[in-house]
């Protein structure tokens, strides 16, 4: 789980592979060309309030209702300042006292999703133990399968291995800006799936997100960088002064939201194909504010220095895409201009799911 007009709904960026098929290939600008998903949804354009063709369904699989712990794996060379930006974003998911609009407010939409018992996605997301792989244990060019081998190395390391937590642990592999991953930049900026016991020894939900600063910032760090083939379009100023990492934040949010609601690819998704499901963040790619859709990100905020963001963390600011609210069949986010109605949406969702 692209930047060219005409704008067509494109919600799947990963083609099926014979061996391993991550279910989400995220790109901040998903509009390069039509694919099978475009045909499924009638080639309709994706706008903030469009819901005519969207049927998000629950397929009875598990979702993450227990406290969620995210274990970052830092692959390659990372600056301390870069790690701080990402760590604070993860910690901000449960920081309910953050200034409005907040990352915690964004997570409330994810919390609306339930399992078959009616239990909601956990409101608690914790930053767990971390692992550094600064010497590129599997090289600087990774395949989808070798990503699982990196995770195996992290959980089986002789020194400070990551804990094994198949029920509520998420393993977040973050590759530095000098690492290439299969299909990176061409098809995806990040994806999620689960590990194979034949490789890792366990079934663990995981996501990969790459730093695109050197390889393709115009593809994966929009709107803080723009594609070369769009002359005249000026990039926006990133809120944490790091284009690559600020671009990663929305991809991380995308993948974590989908891991929480569809960790084993059998829970919440739209469409008929479980191999290439359309998930809650896929439906809102490129939408960051009210009115978003097509080539327009939606209405955003600017700080006193001119940096662009749409939500507050504990101390920092971030730009994070919205996610699909299945109660109202709409992409929603904490910075919506009609935010006065958001508490009512939450209330209606909880009442309907617990009635």
């Amino acid at each position: 789980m692209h930047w060219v007009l005409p704008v067509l709904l494109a919600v799947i960026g990963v083609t099926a592979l014979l061996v391993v098929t991550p279910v989400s290939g995220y790109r901040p600008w998903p509009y390069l060309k039509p694919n099978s998903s475009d045909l499924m949804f009638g080639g309709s354009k994706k706008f903030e309030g469009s819901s005519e063709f969207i049927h998000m369904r629950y397929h009875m699989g598990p979702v993450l209702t227990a406290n969620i712990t995210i274990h970052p794996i830092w692959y390659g060379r990372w600056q301390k300042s870069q790690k701080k930006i990402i760590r604070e974003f993860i910690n901000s998911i449960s920081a309910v006292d953050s200034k409005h609009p907040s990352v915690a407010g964004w997570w409330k939409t994810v919390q609306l999703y339930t399992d078959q018992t009616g239990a909601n996605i956990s409101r608690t997301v914790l930053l767990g133990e971390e692992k550094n792989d600064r010497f590129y244990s599997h090289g600087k060019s990774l395949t989808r399968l070798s990503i699982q081998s990196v995770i195996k190395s992290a959980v089986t390391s002789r020194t400070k291995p990551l804990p094994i937590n198949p029920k509520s642990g998420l393993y977040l592999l973050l590759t530095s800006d000098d690492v290439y991953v299969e299909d990176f930049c061409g098809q995806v900026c990040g994806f999620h799936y689960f590990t194979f016991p034949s490789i890792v020894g366990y079934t663990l939900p995981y996501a990969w997100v790459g730093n695109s600063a050197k390889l393709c910032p115009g593809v994966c760090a929009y709107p803080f960088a723009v594609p070369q083939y769009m002359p005249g379009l000026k990039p926006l100023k990133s809120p944490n002064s790091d284009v690559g990492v600020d671009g990663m934040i929305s991809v991380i949010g995308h993948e974590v939201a989908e891991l929480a609601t569809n960790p084993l690819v059998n829970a919440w998704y739209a469409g008929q194909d479980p191999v290439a499901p359309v998930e809650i963040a896929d439906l809102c790619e490129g939408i960051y504010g009210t009115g978003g859709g097509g080539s327009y990100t939606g209405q955003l905020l600017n700080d006193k220095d001119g940096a662009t963001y749409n939500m507050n963390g504990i101390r920092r600011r971030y730009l994070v895409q919205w996610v699909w609210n299945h109660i109202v069949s709409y992409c929603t986010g904490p910075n919506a201009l009609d935010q006065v109605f958001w508490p009512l949406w939450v209330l209606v969702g909880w009442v309907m799911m617990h009635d």
Side-chain angles (χ1 to χ4, degrees):
M1 2 201 111
H2 307 57
W3 296 88
V4 68
L5 297 177
V7 178
L8 295 175
L9 177 63
V11 291
I12 298 299
V14 181
T15 55
L17 301 178
L18 292 176
V19 181
V20 53
T21 310
V23 301
S24 176
Y26 171 83
R27 301 188 66 151
W29 181 274
Y31 308 110
L32 263 184
K33 54 188 177 181
N35 56 26
S36 59
S37 297
D38 295 327
L39 300 177
M40 179 190 309
F41 292 105
S44 61
K45 295 180 179 179
K46 180 178 63 181
F47 293 106
E48 176 199 354
S50 177
S51 61
E52 181 179 358
F53 300 105
I54 307 302
H55 302 286
M56 181 63 64
R57 292 189 176 93
Y58 178 52
H59 298 267
M60 305 306 289
V63 301
L64 301 185
T65 57
N67 290 352
I68 300 167
T69 302
I70 297 177
H71 298 285
I73 302 171
W74 306 96
Y75 191 86
R77 298 181 183 273
W78 289 89
Q79 299 174 19
K80 290 183 179 179
S81 59
Q82 294 177 320
K83 290 183 177 181
K84 287 181 179 179
I85 295 170
I86 293 174
R87 285 173 181 147
E88 183 171 321
F89 173 70
I90 294 172
N91 284 325
S92 295
I93 295 175
S94 297
V96 294
D97 294 330
S98 296
K99 182 180 177 181
H100 172 80
S102 68
V103 175
W106 167 82
W107 188 254
K108 286 182 180 180
T109 300
V110 181
Q111 287 180 251
L112 292 174
Y113 290 84
T114 64
D115 65 11
Q116 55 188 303
T117 71
N120 291 80
I121 301 291
S122 175
R123 65 173 289 181
T124 302
V125 180
L126 307 171
L127 177 64
E129 296 177 44
E130 306 175 30
K131 191 67 177 176
N132 291 300
D133 195 334
R134 61 177 62 89
F135 298 114
Y136 310 89
S137 63
H138 291 74
K140 290 189 176 182
S141 182
L142 303 177
T143 66
R144 296 178 185 273
L145 282 179
S146 63
I147 279 179
Q148 296 207 19
S149 297
V150 174
I151 296 172
K152 177 183 179 180
S153 297
V155 299
T156 60
S157 174
R158 292 183 179 180
T159 58
K160 298 182 179 180
L162 292 181
I164 304 298
N165 186 0
K167 292 186 177 181
S168 60
L170 301 182
Y171 298 80
L172 181 61
L173 177 60
L174 304 168
T175 51
S176 57
D177 59 12
D178 57 348
V179 176
Y180 176 75
V181 174
E182 183 179 358
D183 295 326
F184 191 20
C185 299
Q187 287 187 329
V188 298
C189 303
F191 57 70
H192 76 87
Y193 205 54
F194 53 85
T195 61
F196 300 152
S198 59
I199 297 177
V200 180
Y202 307 90
T203 300
L204 304 174
Y206 76 91
W208 158 75
V209 179
N211 186 337
S212 66
K214 292 181 179 178
L215 296 173
C216 57
V219 175
C220 293
Y222 178 86
F224 307 125
V226 297
Q228 294 180 352
Y229 55 82
M230 296 188 73
L233 183 63
K234 295 182 179 180
L236 301 179
K237 184 178 180 180
S238 67
N240 297 288
S241 302
D242 190 310
V243 169
V245 174
D246 275 319
M248 292 177 71
I249 291 298
S250 190
V251 190
I252 292 171
H254 177 118
E255 303 303 342
V256 170
E258 292 184 344
L259 277 170
T261 54
N262 197 28
L264 300 181
V265 203
N266 59 359
W268 286 96
Y269 62 87
Q272 303 302 316
D273 186 1
V275 176
V278 181
E279 300 174 276
I280 72 165
D282 294 327
L283 291 168
C284 305
E285 284 180 8
I287 298 177
Y288 301 86
T290 298
S295 59
Y296 177 49
T297 57
Q299 297 193 42
L300 306 178
L301 303 171
N302 293 101
D303 65 18
K304 62 181 181 180
D305 297 318
T308 299
Y309 69 102
N310 67 345
M311 56 189 76
N312 295 286
I314 298 172
R315 288 174 296 274
R316 300 175 184 270
R317 290 165 171 167
Y318 299 101
L319 183 68
V320 185
Q321 70 150 92
W322 287 7
V323 291
W324 187 257
N325 182 328
H326 66 300
I327 303 300
V328 296
S329 294
Y330 209 80
C331 294
T332 58
N335 58 308
L337 294 183
D338 54 355
Q339 186 58 217
V340 65
F341 298 109
W342 168 242
L344 178 61
W345 293 355
V346 176
L347 177 61
V348 169
W350 280 72
V351 168
M352 290 180 65
M353 289 183 290
H354 289 84
D355 185 23

